[in-house]
Amino acid sequence: LAVYGLSPVPDLGDPAHFGLREAMRVTARLTLVKRARAGQGVSYGHEYVTDRDTVLGLVPMGYADGIPRSAGGRGPVLVGGRRLPVAGRVCMDQFVVDLGPDFAGAAGDEVVVLGRGADGEPTAQDWADAAGTINYEIVTRMGPRLPRRHLGGGA
């Protein structure tokens, strides 16, 4: 757990409490941004229905990449400095986020799926809470389709 910078006992303290810093950051780019009217069903089964005219964003990651299906409607992301939950179900290759009626961004904007809690980014623990699991399941399930970029020193 320490290699990933995760708290071994989340009930007793976050990573900073144990002198740890998250070592993994997962980002994506919005592939589609579109307006939706109030009452629009979103994703499979329309478990999420827009409660106002709004803007929806498509994130090109899904359960085939390691995003837990059980976090549909709850999994947190950060877009434009705002934390937002997944809107509806997590699909195999994508999920949707309700960006709000005043969203001024565009396709191509960064979505932080997993990052550093001290910076306000969603953490593995946030996703674990949303999915009803443990934080190290979240980081170890990130699939091989996700491109990796290693930073820092070392061989």
Side-chain angles (χ1 to χ4, degrees):
L1 289 174
V3 170
Y4 285 104
L6 301 177
S7 172
V9 193
D11 294 341
L12 297 181
D14 64 6
H17 175 82
F18 295 101
L20 302 171
R21 181 174 161 248
E22 294 92 337
M24 178 187 287
R25 189 166 189 261
V26 178
T27 63
R29 299 271 174 196
L30 291 172
T31 54
L32 177 71
V33 172
K34 69 184 263 182
R35 296 213 163 270
R37 296 216 178 269
Q40 177 68 52
V42 175
S43 195
Y44 293 127
H46 292 184
E47 289 181 6
Y48 181 82
V49 177
T50 57
D51 61 359
R52 71 223 182 286
D53 289 356
T54 191
V55 177
L56 300 174
L58 190 65
V59 181
M61 291 181 67
Y63 59 79
D65 302 299
I67 303 297
R69 281 186 69 239
S70 57
R74 294 180 304 280
V77 297
L78 187 73
V79 182
R82 294 183 359 189
R83 281 180 74 121
L84 303 165
V86 171
R89 292 187 181 172
V90 173
C91 303
M92 183 184 346
D93 299 307
Q94 61 195 6
F95 63 86
V96 177
V97 178
D98 186 337
L99 299 164
D102 300 326
F103 182 71
D109 285 2
E110 182 179 68
V111 178
V112 179
V113 176
L114 188 67
R116 189 161 186 229
D119 294 338
E121 297 175 340
T123 65
Q125 187 60 50
D126 294 332
W127 276 93
D129 292 344
T133 189
I134 51 180
N135 59 16
Y136 43 100
E137 179 183 344
I138 300 301
V139 296
T140 58
R141 73 184 302 151
M142 293 296 141
R145 298 188 331 169
L146 296 180
R148 266 80 167 160
R149 191 174 84 207
H150 299 274
L151 305 175

